[in-house]
Amino acid sequence: MIIRAMQLKDVEGVLNVEHLSFAIPWSEAAFQHEVTGNPFSRYYVLTDDADRVLAYAGMWIVIDEAHVTNIAVLPELRGHGWGKKLMQKLVEEADACGVLFMTLEVRVSNVVAQNLYSQFGFKYQTIRSAYYSDNHEDAMVLTKEWENR
């Protein structure tokens, strides 16, 4: 398995993972913009030997903050540590860029993801009520801070 920067050729594979992972998936145009038109974005794909997209993750780095926008793994490959490897890549990239903190939102019901984020030092900050438009579920806002910067 290889983790590399997302390219335009990966958008179709990313969309497949996205549609299998989220009730309200991002559009093709949104991912194309992340690759070609958003100077703040950092997106990565995890691919197999045939260069098939198996998972992806992305964030925006703006000044001193990194905001995780998405992370998803094909359903049949979950539980094998691929999400953890992608999260590690995001944290390493944010650290290399000298950010002071990272933020993200996660569904209050998504305990698996919350456990993953806690392994990287993310801590609870607040709740965003009715954040998700598909079912009005609350989002938990988590933040990771870098010490001594």
Side-chain angles (χ1 to χ4, degrees), residues 10 16 18 26 39 42 46 50 56-57 84 106-107 117 123 125 136-137 147:
D10 300 316
N16 180 52
E18 177 81 358
W26 281 23
R42 306 285 197 287
L46 180 124
Y56 78 95
K84 186 174 183 175
V106 60
R107 289 179 186 265
Y117 302 139
K123 295 186 175 17
Q125 292 300 310
H136 304 291
E137 184 175 358
E147 305 280 329

Side-chain angles (χ1 to χ4, degrees), residues 14-104:
V14 167
L15 279 172
N16 180 52
V17 176
E18 177 81 358
H19 283 270
L20 292 170
S21 300
F22 299 111
I24 304 173
W26 281 23
S27 69
E28 180 176 1
F31 284 111
Q32 288 173 344
H33 176 71
E34 293 304 311
V35 174
T36 64
N38 183 349
F40 306 109
S41 73
R42 306 285 197 287
Y43 274 73
Y44 300 94
V45 292
L46 180 124
T47 62
D48 61 13
D49 292 339
D51 208 31
R52 184 176 68 115
V53 175
L54 308 176
Y56 78 95
M59 66 181 168
W60 299 327
I61 296 180
V62 180
I63 306 172
D64 60 356
E65 175 186 350
H67 179 74
V68 178
T69 55
N70 346 49
I71 184 166
V73 177
L74 283 172
E76 65 269 23
L77 297 177
R78 292 178 189 158
H80 297 283
W82 303 121
K84 186 174 183 175
K85 289 193 180 301
L86 281 165
M87 194 67 211
Q88 181 68 44
K89 178 67 175 171
L90 294 182
V91 169
E92 288 171 358
E93 177 70 10
D95 186 31
C97 289
V99 302
L100 299 178
F101 59 98
M102 289 180 82
T103 62
L104 59 84

